[in-house]
Each structure stands twice: as structure tokens, then as C-alpha cells.
Amino acid sequence: MTSVPSPAPESAPESATNAAVTAVPTAAATAASGAVHDLAHITPRDQAEILAQALPYIRKFHGKTLVIKYGGNAMTDPALQADFAEDVVLLKLVGMNPIVVHGGGPQIDEALAKIGKKGTFIQGMRVTDEETMEVVEWVLGGQVQQDIVGLINAAGGKAVGLTGWDGGLIRARKLKMADKDDPSKEYDIGQVGEITAIDPAVVKALQDDQFIPVISPIGFGEGNESFNINADLVASKLATVLGAEKLLLLTNIRGVLDKAGTLLTDLTAREVDELIEDGTISGGMLPKIAGAIDAAKSGVHAVHIVDGRVPHALLLEVLTDQAYGTMIRSH
Ligand code: ADP
Ligand code: MG
């Protein structure tokens, strides 16, 4: 386990969320102004040099599949949204195969609030009754998916939105969720699904034709019923099935933090177990880390939890040697 000191004093992870936001002034400032970064101070020669330095990474990842979970603030802030779309299109145009799986927690909560409902979570999973499932379907499979498709298309890509129904992509069954401290205790969290099978044929066909798949985390069951599936788990399973080179989970925090709020830059499965056991990892980080470990153990070469609040987080992660966030290793 490697840790780096925090840029600002931070306490427990939950409260660290806010502290960390203020710790990224450039991200926040750029995002707030919506301004394109002014590069006038960089000479054309230096600009050319910067582009040339991406060559080894472009060569290394050419033809490789990158599964990207798009979530957190990068999804709600307009400037970060535009950066994300540009990054995905650029990676596609230099020969990689980016596949986007999106979340949409804030958008679902907003839609629930309109009908006077409040979202509830157990161990980081959304409790999904029938009414909530309806909202999840039209918010994720409708509005959110189409917004992302539109953004990528506006940046010059050809995005196609899919749910787990399309091409029989994601089969699921009702999740039986055990208590993380007491396995004999089980929660009923409604229409939340656990993936039983992924048929990646539709994704492969699209990527071969230069389309960028944008996938909503909704699966279908044996009785043709819909299931709400945590997007981190969909991204992880898809990365495994596709034999992806990289799985990048963009989120709203710097990465996995320890109890003091310090960023843990790399973690093994065993270390993660300890952090779950002592309560350091909780909430939405639980399914994220579970998916990440699963993908790492199943042979996905690089698995990273990345700070999506950093402008062009994707390009930084794929085309430079800068490491932001937490890298997850199988051992
Ligand atoms: P996403 O949209 O990226 O899925 P989530 O809210 O589901 O976001 O999960 C990320 C959240 O997990 C963080 O904002 C933080 O509140 C919470 N969390 C719990 N434990 C930790 C931890 N040890 N390190 C970082 N974040 C944590
Ligand atoms: Mg989440």
C-alpha cells in the first residue's frame, strides 16, 4: 500500500469529500468558468513536444479496449462533461476502443425528489422498489444516456446508446445481498440485479464499426423483468468479458482514502479486505472497489479509480505517466 500526503488536512473519508473538492482549485475554477484552458504561454514547439510525448502511449494502447465508468461530478459539471467527451473521442480517433458505462446517482435522486421520494442505500447499493425502478429506467436509459451520446457526438465521435436489453447484452437476477459483517444476514433491496451473463457481441460489432458504445446499467431477467445494476459492477464485468486493457472508474473523490483522508495510490485485494473490515471503505466505494478487485483478479491489466473532477482526467490517465487516484492490484 502506498500513500501520498493530502494537499489539505482531511479527516474521515466521508467529510473528506468536501475537503477534497477545495483541494483541486484548478479543476473547480476551470469547471466553474467553463473556460477552455489558455495555452498561449506554451510555445508551438513545446506544444508539438507534448503531443509527441503521447506517442508511446498511443502505440501501446492502439487497438486495445478501455472500459470507462463515467460517474460522479464529471457527469454533472458542464466543463468537465465537455472534457470527458473530447477525451473519449480523441482516444477513439488514435485507435483505442473506449467503451463508456455510465452511472447517474444524482440524476436519479433529482427525479425521485420530484415525485416526493428519497433514495436510500444499503452498503452502497440503491434500494430499488417498483416505483424507483421505473425512475431508474427512464432516467438512466433515457435522459442520461442520450445526454452522453449527444456530448460525444458534439465532440466529433459516433456514440450509440445501449441498455442491457440491447443485443441481449446484460442478463441479471435478483441480487441477494449479505451483510458485510454478518453473512447470515441478508437484505432485500428490491429490483437490484446481479449480473449472470454478458453477451458482448453488440459492443464488439459497434466498436469494430468505429462507434463508441455508451451503456446504461440496466439488465434483464429470465421473466423479462428489468434490474437496476450498480454501474461500477457493470463496467468491471464488461472489462473482464471484453479482455480490456484498462478499467477506469471515474468518481467524485481523489481515489480511495484512508481514515486520515490520505490518498492510497495503490492497493492489493488483501489490503482492501482490511479497509472494508475496519470500516474505512464504505458507501458507494464498496461496490466500486469490489468491481475493481474482481476485474484485476480476472486479468484486466490496469484497474484505476480516478478523480473525475480533474479536467481531462482520462487523457492524463491514458496518455501520460501521471497517476491520479488509486490503482488496484490483484495481489
Ligand atoms: P460514483 O458516482 O463515483 O459511483 P459514489 O458516491 O457511489 O460515487 O462512491 C464514491 C463515494 O464513496 C465517495 O464520494 C465517498 O463519499 C465514499 N467513500 C466511502 N469510503 C471511502 C474511502 N475510503 N475513500 C474514498 N471514498 C469513500
Ligand atoms: Mg456509485
Side-chain angles (χ1 to χ4, degrees):
M1 184 173 353
T2 316
S3 64
V4 295
S6 351
E10 291 174 1
S11 52
E14 300 295 338
S15 60
T17 312
N18 291 330
V21 171
T22 52
V24 198
T26 43
T30 314
S33 65
V36 175
H37 230 73
D38 184 7
L39 299 181
H41 61 288
I42 300 179
T43 65
R45 197 179 151 167
D46 284 343
Q47 287 185 30
E49 185 56 36
I50 290 165
L51 289 172
Q53 284 183 10
L55 179 62
Y57 299 97
I58 294 174
R59 210 186 302 131
K60 183 172 176 195
F61 300 128
H62 189 92
K64 299 278 164 60
T65 296
L66 317 173
V67 175
I68 303 152
K69 150 71 191 306
Y70 183 43
N73 295 52
M75 259 185 91
T76 47
D77 181 293
L80 293 175
Q81 285 174 347
D83 285 349
F84 172 81
E86 284 170 5
D87 292 2
V88 169
V89 172
L90 194 148
L91 295 176
K92 184 74 178 182
L93 289 176
V94 298
M96 300 172 202
N97 292 315
I99 314 269
V100 177
V101 177
H102 70 83
Q107 290 88 341
I108 294 169
D109 286 335
E110 205 176 295
L112 286 175
K114 282 188 188 146
I115 57 167
K117 258 179 117 85
K118 194 170 157 20
T120 48
F121 292 83
I122 299 179
Q123 292 180 179
M125 305 289 264
R126 181 183 295 279
V127 178
T128 309
D129 61 14
E130 226 171 278
E131 202 177 26
T132 303
M133 188 65 224
E134 258 179 59
V135 170
V136 166
E137 279 198 280
W138 58 257
V139 172
L140 293 188
Q143 178 207 328
V144 173
Q145 185 197 81
Q146 288 309 300
D147 282 354
I148 299 167
V149 166
L151 274 169
I152 294 175
N153 291 351
K158 294 195 295 178
V160 175
L162 301 170
T163 69
W165 293 83
D166 295 296
L169 180 60
I170 308 169
R171 279 175 197 278
R173 65 171 168 239
K174 186 175 161 73
L175 172 74
K176 292 187 190 328
M177 190 170 73
D179 186 285
K180 73 179 185 63
D181 301 318
D182 174 8
S184 69
K185 192 171 152 200
E186 200 174 88
Y187 296 105
D188 185 344
I189 50 173
Q191 283 295 104
V192 174
E194 136 180 74
I195 300 172
T196 55
I198 289 205
D199 179 349
V202 64
V203 171
K204 286 187 177 157
L206 288 173
Q207 77 177 24
D208 289 349
D209 267 340
Q210 297 313 310
F211 292 104
I212 299 167
V214 174
I215 300 164
S216 310
I218 295 167
F220 66 99
E222 280 195 332
N224 249 3
E225 68 277 41
S226 290
F227 285 107
N228 173 24
I229 309 175
N230 179 282
D232 295 311
L233 298 174
V234 171
S236 305
K237 191 61 104 194
L238 201 58
T240 298
V241 171
L242 289 168
E245 177 71 22
K246 276 181 189 276
L247 169 66
L248 303 175
L249 304 168
L250 265 59
T251 185
N252 57 0
I253 196 160
R254 285 184 292 138
V256 181
L257 309 181
D258 68 12
K259 272 209 177 345
T262 303
L263 176 68
L264 302 169
T265 54
D266 63 275
L267 282 173
T268 62
R270 193 180 44 77
E271 290 165 340
V272 164
D273 284 344
E274 286 168 18
L275 293 171
I276 293 175
E277 205 138 300
D278 73 7
T280 305
I281 293 178
S282 62
M285 197 50 79
L286 283 170
K288 203 180 299 297
I289 203 90
I293 295 280
D294 207 41
K297 283 184 174 168
S298 313
V300 178
H301 287 153
V303 180
H304 297 264
I305 295 174
V306 179
D307 190 345
R309 299 166 307 162
V310 175
H312 294 294
L314 268 186
L315 290 193
L316 281 168
E317 172 45 54
V318 180
L319 297 183
T320 75
D321 59 6
Q322 290 288 317
Y324 287 91
T326 304
M327 180 174 179
I328 310 295
R329 304 172 199 276
S330 55
H331 54 268

